[in-house]
Amino acid sequence: MSARPFLKITAPLNGLLAAVGLVTVAALTAREIGSTTRLSLELVLAAIWAVYVLQLVDTLIRRRATDDRGLTPELVIDLMAVVVPLIGFLLAGSPDQGLYCGIWLLKPLRHFTFFRMLGRVVARAAPNLVGVTSVFGIVLFGASLIAYLIERDVQPDKFGSIPLAMWWAVTTLSTTGYGDEIPMTFAGRVLAGLVMMSGIGIFALWAGILATGFFEEVRRQDFVRNWQLVAAVPLFQKLGSAAFVEIVRALRPRVVPAGAIICRKGEAGDQMFFIVEGRVSIQTPSPIPVELGPGSFFGEMALMTGEPRSATVSAVTEVSLLSLYSEDFQMLSSSNPEIADVIRRTAEERRGGAGQG
Ligand code: CMP
């Protein structure tokens, strides 16, 4: 039997271990703890370190199996989690040895896809972020220079040089305002007001750039996922690339659990559904319900006629669906009449009692 199941450490367990480890590191810095407590805390750190050695072994085995030779963030984090505390144990003096386990702060990051996304967002927004950061630098230096000129004679200990004035400029520009350094002159206070307002604008720009970057990244990911789902529906496979992009934007993915009702007979219907995966059952008047599977569609009759749903449709298995709303169907009909024709003909056949899927 493989040893890997015993080596594998799940993301929640990893987070828990890191949290326990870091609380232990923090506790070890308290001066008042006795030697027995200290020993127990150090044993906790040693136990967590041993678990991290297992995790590193698991990562190495997995990389060997997949013939992966690159230096991934996951490998770097697993290596550092083992090596840095070991260096601390070998080189540091007794009270500081545990501090090296602070590197475990990085451990939960190995599971977060969020950080990969953040990396992509920052990389894409880099030119704008650099632009706003440059504005920040210019305003910071300019404010320090003017504050130095205005306040140097009144408060030489706080504004006697540009580097000294820069501390005031940073706390004012970031609107932190510790209040340890404040301009005394009227001109200095006018300057402070202007710097604060610039700070608010600059931080709003940073936040706006990042928020837009995240929004675009999420949309891009949705688009790629929808693309794969739409490509699985045979009806759309003949579409040209422009029409395909149009339909990818129009269709909304949805997963329905087994047994759930997707639409009920008699309800108003403003959308139709394409089945990507799974099966649905349609309660037609005939004794045997009609079942539809991947590639089929349903819900088109209410959409085309404006009449209530003609039958109740439920999920036999978990179903992955793409829904198309009536306004998007109109758009699809005008740009791709052949697809609209197939849907229309199927609706007519079904209404005529053919009962075909
Ligand atoms: P609609 O009436 O909007 O909602 C229920 C759907 O079930 C209907 O559209 C059709 O897509 C589908 N449907 C109804 N009757 C049949 C049938 N006999 N065979 C296959 N599908 C049907």
Side-chain angles (χ1 to χ4, degrees), residues 263-265 267 269 271-272 282-286 290-292 297-305 307-313 346-347 349-351 353-357:
C263 59
R264 280 177 208 279
K265 184 174 179 174
E267 277 177 358
Q271 54 183 312
M272 65 174 291
I282 298 167
Q283 309 293 317
T284 57
S286 70
V290 176
E291 273 200 19
L292 300 179
F297 55 84
F298 60 92
E300 77 294 342
M301 285 160 69
L303 196 75
M304 307 199 74
T305 59
E307 287 171 10
R309 296 281 188 208
S310 60
T312 295
V313 184
T346 308
E349 278 170 22
R350 285 172 177 172
R351 196 173 311 114
Q356 305 289 312

Side-chain angles (χ1 to χ4, degrees), residues 233-240 338 342:
V233 179
L235 189 62
F236 302 132
Q237 282 164 0
K238 290 179 240 91
L239 290 178
E338 63 291 2
V342 172

